[in-house]
Amino acid sequence: MTHNRGIINHGDRNNFNNVAIGANARASSPAPAHSSDLAVEADTPWDCGIVTILSEELRSVIDELKLNRHKTPNGLYFYQGEHTAPDATLRIVATQTQSQGQRSTMAALENLRRYYNPRLWALVGIAGGIHDDHARIGNVIVSTDVVYYESRKINPRGDTRRRGEHRQSPAHIVHAVNAYFTDHGTPARINGHNAAQGGDPYEIYPGVIGSGEAVIADRDSDIRTYLTTYHEKVLAVDMEAGGLSQYWQENSVHGAANPGWIVIRGVSDNADEEKGHSHHERAARNAAHVLSQLLPYLC
């Protein structure tokens, strides 16, 4: 009997993979490659990538746009589908950040860019209103302007000087939003699309979003005073839009065309002492519905 301790070659066209030579050698297979589906997604830009923060926000977007769950090999969850517009069928993908705030938002945008490379980024969800007339609970603010208020200089004797950073969406997004309000009026009015929430009518306003790291629950907050003094059209505040506008600016160094961006916020509270969770669902669903109305203009 012959005991083989090496390689036997029969003929001149043999292929050897994962080969080990020697009496006690062992061959190890390489780690399996990731699914090719994701490479296809990244190579073919999707039309719109949506970032949400809260579960109510993501559920509202999924329900409004009829999206389906998709899990990547490395454990990331996205929700994707197609949305039929008058002139095209749009490919839509949504994701949820790991936590609130600017930094987690930027990480979610990077995941969308790597896996789907969308032509438009949309930040959709809820915000606190700081304008008594335009930003009433249930109304929706459509923003192509963001003021980031966290940058500041702290001087002696408690003298703090805030240094606001103001960024605007690219021109074609501003034109698209202007066209929507030209067609629907300012404010645009929705007469109750959501039977589950009582079908309450609400209004849609264009406006500026103030963004930072604070959860504001004080009508006399110095942040509210600063924002309304900095720009009289700041209608609402959130904790993520600054990260979106900053990521967009820094993403402009890539060779490909930089996506457009928009912020759509349903007003869930008045950023005062009565701030709570009771209107989250209503505000999130209103914002998701407004996104679906805007998509034919944006994409």
Side-chain angles (χ1 to χ4, degrees), residues 83-90 295-297 299:
H83 179 74
T84 302
D87 298 326
T89 297
L90 307 175
L295 281 174
Y297 294 85
C299 298

Side-chain angles (χ1 to χ4, degrees), residues 180-257:
Y180 172 81
F181 283 105
T182 298
D183 289 349
H184 295 85
T186 304
R189 291 180 171 86
I190 303 294
N191 293 315
H193 69 280
N194 188 5
Q197 298 298 316
D200 293 332
Y202 58 92
E203 296 177 331
I204 309 164
Y205 285 89
V208 182
I209 296 289
S211 190
E213 300 292 350
V215 176
I216 302 174
D218 180 6
R219 181 171 284 272
D220 297 323
S221 164
D222 69 303
I223 295 173
R224 290 181 57 137
T225 302
Y226 169 77
L227 287 171
T228 53
T229 303
Y230 181 92
H231 197 311
E232 73 277 9
K233 291 188 177 181
V234 175
L235 302 184
V237 289
D238 76 1
M239 298 171 61
E240 292 82 26
L244 168 63
S245 63
Q246 178 72 30
Y247 183 86
W248 172 81
Q249 179 174 320
E250 297 192 14
N251 189 66
S252 63
V253 300
H254 294 287

Side-chain angles (χ1 to χ4, degrees), residues 83 90 120 140 142-143 176-181 204 262-264 287-299:
H83 179 74
L90 307 175
L120 169 72
V140 176
V142 176
S143 182
V177 171
N178 289 345
Y180 172 81
F181 283 105
I204 309 164
I262 191 168
V263 181
I264 302 172
H289 181 68
V290 171
L291 169 65
S292 70
Q293 285 206 331
L294 280 165
L295 281 174
Y297 294 85
L298 295 166
C299 298

